[in-house]
Amino acid sequence: MKLFLLSALGLTVQGCTNILVTPEASTSNEAMIAYNADSASLYGSLYHYPRTEGGGSRDIYDWDSGSFLGSIPEAEKTHNVVGNCNEVGLCIGETTFGGLEGLCATFPGSKVDYGSLIWLTLQRASNAREAIKVMDNLMQTYGYASEGESFSITDAKEVWINEVIGKGTYEKGSVWVAKKIPAGYVSSHANQARITTFEWDDENKAMYAHDVMSFAQKIGLVTSAGADRSTFSFSDTYDPVTFEGARFCEGRVWSFFSSVMGPDFEKEYVDYASGFNLTNRMPLFVKPADKISLTDVFSHMRNHFEDSELAFDADVGAGGFGAPYRWRPLTWEYGDDTYVNERAIGTQQTGWNFVASVRPSMPTPLQAVIWFGADDSATTVRVPFYASSTELPLSFVGKGPQDGVVPPMMTFDTNSAFYVTNLVSNWAYSRWSDIYPVVLARIEKYEASFIAQLHEVDQKVLALFNNGQEVEAVNVMNTFAQKLGNGFTEQWFGFFGELFVRFRDGYDITANSEDPECGCTVGGQGYNDATYKRIAEETGEQYKEPSDSLKVRSFQPKNKLKVRGV
């Protein structure tokens, strides 16, 4: 049977990026996963699910559409969940790969979509391996109601990728493979299934659905003669790489891997990342040349292919200020040809993003910290929240479609972290090379301050936990969250005001108390040399002054006037 491939970049599918770092690969021995939730319809807010007891019934709503999928029994006890981390040090992210179209249709009566799968699992599981089993049980019991997904799953010790695809209308449930990232290695995925072959007989390295290969045989994806465990590839079977899968998706993985591996890796796989050699697949994980810090991960999530063969900040599409952004759609046509816009990690349609840090040196309730940011991961500030917090700042917290709630996307609010960060990012897009360096410096200043403040609060909370004062410790976490989150939102709105005053009307206007006219210095260099060169070459004589222009302009009237508005 012919099953067509569904692109993960379709209009109905979110495009996201994940980075995974094992504790042994980090400078501070903490496990980390980073996640950009990329969709123009996503409102950036921090979800919170308090602990519950007593079971009952749980209504399930599709995360993307908000449609009601049905009800399932609630667990007798659930964990407190803040964002994508729970209070016992488990964190989960995802990217959608879509997969074969015939398997993306939902089996009738399926109740668990990929978003609900994340938060149900965070409420029920305590570590990465248990999470994989809980996810499997939920999907096979209640049916899987989404397209193909790659899940990043970490606890304090282990980091896993779990790739899942439904069984379409053939039967209820899903097939899946999970691979553990080896100690000292890092990985990434970005809307393309990446697990190929795997270890069938070593649960310390891989776990999988019992019918992951037999189901492929059943529906004709694998012949009986080709059913060989040693060569069976999950990705090649259920989500084969296409030009779009390589260029738009694997290209982001390549940009991260190249950053931590160096120019040899970049050169070896650029033909694959560009979409022109689909057999030259990258490894699932790599061992970085140097260990990676928390702030390194922040930086990697701002990547725009800078200084690589896929850089797109210097052609005409970048405008006069070298913006590494292209407005959607990803493909466009001119004449009889189709062209692409590059798809970088840092992108304008991100609704929210996080870097989750799980610290094995801390007691379990203090291990997971989610560094949460709204909007574009290249222009946001990530604010730390303990996953054991029970009260979150109003400027960050919210509910979404998975809660049966329509978020306030169409209501502008300067008390919303989402809209305040959008103000700064969209202003930066307008004159990127002028404004973004100022924004980045402020981002790094805030994040360095937040790291120091978190360390101070760690000591206070740790002392309370060690003294058996759990309630008091949680109160300190809550106060920290409220102060930092709401304080940031107010201050970042003020920062937008600074940027607007300084970079208005094409100028760079700075304070100057010695200037008697405006108390300022009006500067600005116009466009860069590359832009002026392009204008001159593309327009020929249109804007060129005649050679005698200086003689004409040397004449001055007797009563010299001060010319304004030049």
Side-chain angles (χ1 to χ4, degrees), residues 10 13 16 20 53 72 77 109 185 188 237 245 254 271 298 310 315 334 357 403 436 501 521 541 543-544 564:
V13 182
C16 307
L20 305 87
E53 293 188 13
I72 67 171
K77 291 185 178 182
Y185 284 71
S188 179
T237 301
W254 169 80
D271 59 347
F298 292 167
L310 295 186
D315 60 59
Y334 179 73
S357 166
D403 304 302
Y436 186 63
V501 167
T521 298
E541 301 291 316
Y543 299 118
K544 187 176 181 180
R564 295 179 179 270

Side-chain angles (χ1 to χ4, degrees), residues 4 10 14 49 120 122-123 159 165 201 231 296 359 379 383 395 440 469 500 518 549 555:
F4 296 100
Q14 298 177 15
Y49 300 97
L120 288 169
L122 286 169
Q123 290 176 290
V159 183
I165 192 166
D201 301 313
T231 59
D296 289 336
R359 309 171 298 172
T379 56
V383 182
S395 60
L440 180 59
Q469 297 174 278
F500 187 85
C518 67
S549 63
F555 171 78

Side-chain angles (χ1 to χ4, degrees), residues 536-557:
E537 291 176 347
E538 292 178 2
T539 61
E541 301 291 316
Q542 183 175 352
Y543 299 118
K544 187 176 181 180
E545 286 193 9
S547 59
D548 61 350
S549 63
L550 292 178
K551 294 179 181 179
V552 175
R553 296 176 73 179
S554 65
F555 171 78
Q556 297 292 342

Side-chain angles (χ1 to χ4, degrees), residues 134-291:
V134 167
M135 295 171 90
D136 179 49
N137 178 262
L138 288 167
M139 291 186 291
Q140 312 318 331
T141 303
Y142 304 110
Y144 180 62
S146 291
E147 296 159 358
E149 288 287 330
S150 301
F151 294 98
S152 301
I153 307 172
T154 189
D155 55 32
K157 297 179 180 179
E158 296 182 348
V159 183
W160 290 72
I161 294 178
N162 184 18
E163 297 199 320
V164 171
I165 192 166
K167 296 181 176 181
T169 57
Y170 294 101
E171 55 189 82
K172 185 171 71 173
S174 66
V175 289
W176 56 272
V177 173
K179 283 266 292 183
K180 188 175 81 168
I181 310 305
Y185 284 71
V186 301
S187 187
S188 179
H189 52 87
N191 308 121
Q192 168 64 51
R194 304 204 62 240
I195 296 176
T196 54
T197 58
F198 53 94
E199 297 80 5
W200 291 83
D201 301 313
D202 190 344
E203 198 174 62
N204 288 318
K205 294 182 178 179
M207 302 166 66
Y208 52 89
H210 70 91
D211 58 348
V212 66
M213 186 166 66
S214 61
F215 176 73
Q217 289 178 267
K218 177 180 178 179
I219 64 174
L221 296 177
V222 175
T223 65
S224 297
D228 185 339
R229 282 186 165 196
S230 65
T231 59
F232 177 78
S233 165
F234 182 87
S235 171
D236 292 320
T237 301
Y238 294 111
D239 186 35
V241 180
T242 63
F243 170 82
E244 291 84 2
R247 186 66 169 260
F248 297 145
C249 306
E250 291 279 75
R252 284 173 274 156
V253 175
W254 169 80
S255 69
F256 167 59
F257 281 2
S258 297
S259 296
V260 300
M261 296 296 289
D264 289 344
F265 186 97
E266 179 179 349
K267 292 176 183 177
E268 182 177 358
Y269 293 103
V270 66
D271 59 347
Y272 172 67
S274 300
F276 298 120
N277 185 357
L278 302 184
T279 62
N280 187 28
R281 295 197 66 169
M282 296 180 294
L284 178 62
F285 40 74
V286 296
K287 188 171 186 177
D290 298 299
K291 291 192 174 186

Side-chain angles (χ1 to χ4, degrees), residues 286-451:
V286 296
K287 188 171 186 177
D290 298 299
K291 291 192 174 186
I292 296 173
S293 69
L294 176 67
T295 54
D296 289 336
V297 178
F298 292 167
S299 179
H300 289 306
M301 296 304 285
R302 303 183 188 113
N303 188 295
H304 299 108
F305 295 119
E306 287 89 353
D307 301 318
S308 77
E309 291 196 32
L310 295 186
F312 57 109
D313 57 356
D315 60 59
V316 65
F321 297 96
Y325 289 88
R326 298 294 183 274
W327 309 141
R328 296 300 177 253
L330 278 172
T331 61
W332 50 279
E333 295 180 358
Y334 179 73
D336 296 328
D337 297 313
T338 300
Y339 298 82
V340 303
N341 287 320
E342 299 296 0
R343 171 61 163 94
I345 293 175
T347 185
Q348 68 273 7
Q349 74 268 19
T350 302
W352 47 269
N353 61 88
F354 69 77
V355 176
S357 166
V358 188
R359 309 171 298 172
S361 61
M362 301 294 283
T364 298
L366 304 183
Q367 285 182 344
V369 173
I370 183 166
W371 293 79
F372 184 88
D375 195 34
D376 184 347
S377 62
T379 56
T380 193
V381 175
R382 294 165 183 84
V383 182
F385 300 100
Y386 290 96
S388 291
S389 297
T390 58
E391 297 176 9
L392 297 169
L394 291 177
S395 60
F396 277 81
V397 73
K399 293 184 180 298
Q402 77 280 9
D403 304 302
V405 174
V406 177
M409 180 68 82
M410 300 308 295
T411 303
F412 178 72
D413 184 0
T414 59
N415 293 314
S416 158
F418 175 70
Y419 271 116
V420 167
T421 49
N422 264 279
L423 283 173
V424 172
S425 62
N426 279 269
W427 193 238
Y429 299 154
S430 68
R431 286 169 58 193
W432 186 258
S433 58
D434 285 349
I435 300 176
Y436 186 63
V438 179
V439 173
L440 180 59
R442 190 67 63 92
I443 289 171
E444 292 176 339
K445 180 179 179 181
Y446 266 81
E447 290 176 346
S449 173
F450 291 164
I451 289 171

